[in-house]
Amino acid sequence: MVVRYYCETLVDHGASRHGSMGEGIFVKRIAILSDTHGLLRPEVIAQLERADVIVHAGDINTPSVADALAAYGPVHIVRGNNDKEWAQNLPDSLTFEVEGLGIFLVHKKQDVPPVLSGVDVVIYGHSHRYAMEEREGVLWLNPGSCGPRRFGQDITLAVMEVDKGRCQVKRVSIPHQAG
């Protein structure tokens, strides 16, 4: 399957629930988060409210955040290195499909198996740094961290629109409030 995608940076949080891709019929909007470390910012919640599916690449840190995510819709979550006893039953990796798009989810990029079958997108976290690249026809995406600001990194998440096996990815940057 050929995955077509583009990336644009969003700061404006006013996008509609079912975006511009395709004819506007059955487009799934996925909010992709990682490394929230116990914090759900208002800007993140605004994205969750418009999402059809939520993906979290680990380091949730508290069951209350996992529960809050589930209140907004179907959630795919993996365990991160900072998710302790409460997260024992969360998988280390997960493979699932959204609108014909095969997705592999893991916390650490180095834990991705060398051979993936039926996967169009690999989503990972851990580094707190937004990254997107294509490798041999597979999109590799790290949404960055939208939790507490660490390591001087930008505060980011990603929004993906999926329609019939095609996706568009948008980087969402959350301004850092000094002080």
Side-chain angles (χ1 to χ4, degrees):
M1 174 179 300
V2 175
V3 178
R4 288 192 230 159
Y5 61 91
Y6 77 95
C7 177
E8 69 182 50
T9 300
L10 288 181
V11 176
D12 175 16
H13 301 287
S16 65
R17 182 174 174 106
H18 293 287
S20 59
M21 187 175 182
E23 303 292 307
I25 302 170
F26 304 117
V27 173
K28 294 284 186 184
R29 189 170 196 275
I30 306 173
I32 304 172
L33 323 173
S34 187
D35 298 279
T36 49
H37 292 280
L39 175 63
L40 279 181
R41 299 169 181 275
E43 299 91 342
V44 174
I45 291 171
Q47 294 296 330
L48 298 175
E49 289 173 342
R50 291 189 293 274
D52 298 301
V53 177
I54 299 160
V55 173
H56 197 301
D59 277 1
I60 303 151
N61 280 58
T62 65
S64 61
V65 169
D67 292 343
L69 295 175
Y72 294 100
V75 180
H76 301 279
I77 296 178
V78 293
R79 184 177 182 167
N81 58 296
N82 286 301
D83 294 322
K84 301 302 179 193
E85 295 79 25
W86 73 270
Q88 288 177 19
N89 293 328
L90 290 180
D92 292 325
S93 66
L94 192 59
T95 304
F96 57 98
E97 190 175 293
V98 176
E99 289 294 309
L101 192 74
I103 300 173
F104 180 81
L105 177 63
V106 68
H107 183 61
K108 292 183 181 180
K109 184 178 186 179
Q110 64 260 32
D111 293 335
V112 176
V115 177
L116 292 169
S117 178
V119 171
D120 303 299
V121 179
V122 172
I123 298 172
Y124 62 96
H126 186 63
S127 70
H128 293 227
R129 184 176 305 200
Y130 188 95
M132 186 172 82
E133 66 178 318
E134 183 180 345
R135 291 189 194 169
E136 300 177 16
V138 175
L139 175 63
W140 289 65
L141 176 64
N142 183 334
S145 171
C146 58
R149 187 167 188 244
R150 294 183 176 181
F151 317 120
Q153 301 288 342
D154 291 339
I155 303 166
T156 60
L157 62 116
V159 173
M160 178 182 288
E161 292 180 350
V162 181
D163 183 21
K164 299 176 190 153
R166 294 178 48 234
C167 68
Q168 295 177 343
V169 177
K170 298 173 186 169
R171 172 184 167 142
V172 178
S173 295
I174 299 171
H176 170 65
Q177 305 298 324

